[in-house]
Amino acid sequence: MDNDTKRFVRVPRDFESLRSTIIERKASMPKRLAQVAAFALGNPDEIAFGTTASIAAASDVQPSTLVRLARHLGYEGFSDLQSIFRERLRERTLSYEERLATLEQSEGDEDANLLSGFIAAATQSINRMAATVETETFTRAVDILAAADTIFLIAKRRSYPLTAHMTYALSKLGIRHQIVASPNGVDPEMVQFATPKDAAIAASFSPYAADSLSQAEGLADRGVPVVAITDSAFSPLAARAACWFEVAEADFAGFRSLSASMALVMALPVAIAERRRKLHHPKTAKEKME
């Protein structure tokens, strides 16, 4: 990229902006640049910690490809691009004590700032998903899940509340399901019961939970359709899913929201139940309208 072109390119200076830029440009990127860009978004910690040589080896490209990607995106060089990943890591690895200390530095009423900050992050997350989620994707997910004998629910760490809520909702709606969250460590054995007649919902956000990825991949390999909830087109979950939702949650002082994701998993069980009702009683909806 020459200097004249750079004047008209807004170079992303934070990870979320960089992620959005890569996703927007992925279709037009040369094959090798798209390959390393996918690796970068799927393995952000490795980009932050690694050397040019180690990252190139891990992503199966030449070191010069890293420099080419950086310049393609408008950066001076790879170290400039790498700084975005390092800043993201610094923000994400703040201890809870450090996050609380950051909150204490804000001016004004501390309690009011705290509440308004989390409300703002939740609102931003919801608005972002409302603007980007496609009705066709939601319909496709409902088709897959409504046809399943059993729905397997996979999520770990901060994503776990999503499957916990779905367990409650699916139970109340009489939909057979299995949450993969055993206290005695038999999750790998639990997913072995799934067949192509079943389906799975898997949720994971960067940095992705290794167990969630391996379980979803194993299901996909055996022909079990996976509906993924994740944060990037380059997410390992998206790559193996029958259909997937991109949900980019906002954060406040390093604490990420789950508001948009929760809205989605509240809608899915109800939509699945309604689809099944119509399939089993196809005349009911029409009769009610007459």
Side-chain angles (χ1 to χ4, degrees):
M1 183 179 295
D2 57 36
N3 291 332
D4 288 337
T5 303
K6 286 181 181 180
R7 295 174 188 170
F8 301 99
V9 175
R10 183 178 179 182
V11 180
R13 298 316 314 182
D14 63 82
F15 184 76
E16 287 302 319
S17 298
L18 173 61
R19 186 184 65 85
S20 298
T21 297
I22 290 175
I23 291 172
E24 288 172 4
R25 299 186 190 177
K26 67 172 183 175
S28 61
M29 282 185 182
K31 180 180 178 180
R32 287 298 186 185
L33 296 192
Q35 177 181 328
V36 74
F39 178 85
L41 292 188
N43 303 271
D45 292 355
E46 186 158 348
I47 301 297
F49 284 121
T51 64
T52 303
S54 68
I55 295 168
S59 56
D60 195 26
V61 298
Q62 296 296 319
S64 60
T65 306
L66 302 180
V67 179
R68 286 173 51 213
L69 174 65
R71 291 179 176 170
H72 180 82
L73 295 171
Y75 296 94
E76 293 298 326
F78 181 69
S79 60
D80 190 18
L81 172 60
Q82 190 178 39
S83 68
I84 306 300
F85 288 86
R86 288 178 174 172
E87 179 62 19
R88 168 201 167 275
L89 187 64
R90 187 193 69 80
E91 293 174 353
R92 290 288 182 256
T93 56
L94 286 175
S95 68
Y96 278 90
E97 290 77 9
E98 290 171 320
R99 296 179 193 183
L100 293 174
T102 299
L103 292 174
E104 291 174 358
Q105 294 173 7
S106 60
E107 298 179 356
D109 188 313
E110 181 178 333
D111 290 338
N113 289 340
L114 183 65
L115 179 59
S116 63
F118 278 106
I119 291 174
T123 301
Q124 182 180 349
S125 297
I126 291 287
N127 289 340
R128 182 183 295 166
M129 188 178 73
T132 58
V133 71
E134 296 181 352
T135 303
E136 294 81 1
T137 303
F138 187 80
T139 299
R140 172 62 176 152
V142 174
D143 287 342
I144 292 170
L145 298 168
D149 287 348
T150 301
I151 300 173
F152 286 76
L153 306 175
I154 299 171
K156 303 291 186 290
R157 301 202 299 261
R158 85 174 182 94
S159 303
Y160 177 77
L162 304 179
T163 49
H165 174 77
M166 282 190 285
T167 295
Y168 173 81
L170 293 171
S171 296
K172 287 291 187 180
L173 292 167
I175 297 172
R176 183 181 299 169
H177 64 282
Q178 175 64 63
I179 186 169
V180 184
S182 60
N184 54 355
V186 295
D187 289 3
E189 288 77 11
M190 291 173 67
V191 295
Q192 292 299 316
F193 288 105
T195 75
K197 292 183 179 181
D198 301 316
I201 300 175
S204 189
F205 306 95
S206 179
Y208 307 106
D211 286 346
S212 294
L213 298 183
S214 63
Q215 290 159 14
E217 181 177 353
L219 289 170
D221 286 342
R222 300 204 313 278
V224 180
V226 176
V227 174
I229 302 172
T230 190
D231 55 2
S232 168
F234 291 132
S235 163
L237 272 185
R240 301 305 305 274
C243 76
W244 62 280
F245 296 92
E246 180 179 356
V247 184
E249 300 278 8
D251 72 82
F252 175 63
F255 295 91
R256 276 184 285 179
S257 171
L258 271 179
S259 303
S261 306
M262 189 60 74
L264 177 60
V265 302
M266 291 175 72
L268 279 172
V270 177
I272 294 165
E274 180 65 8
R275 180 65 51 80
R276 288 188 171 192
R277 184 186 66 79
K278 289 180 178 179
L279 289 172
H280 294 156
H281 306 285
K283 295 182 180 180
T284 302
K286 180 179 179 181
E287 289 171 352
K288 284 188 175 181
M289 295 182 68
E290 292 178 347

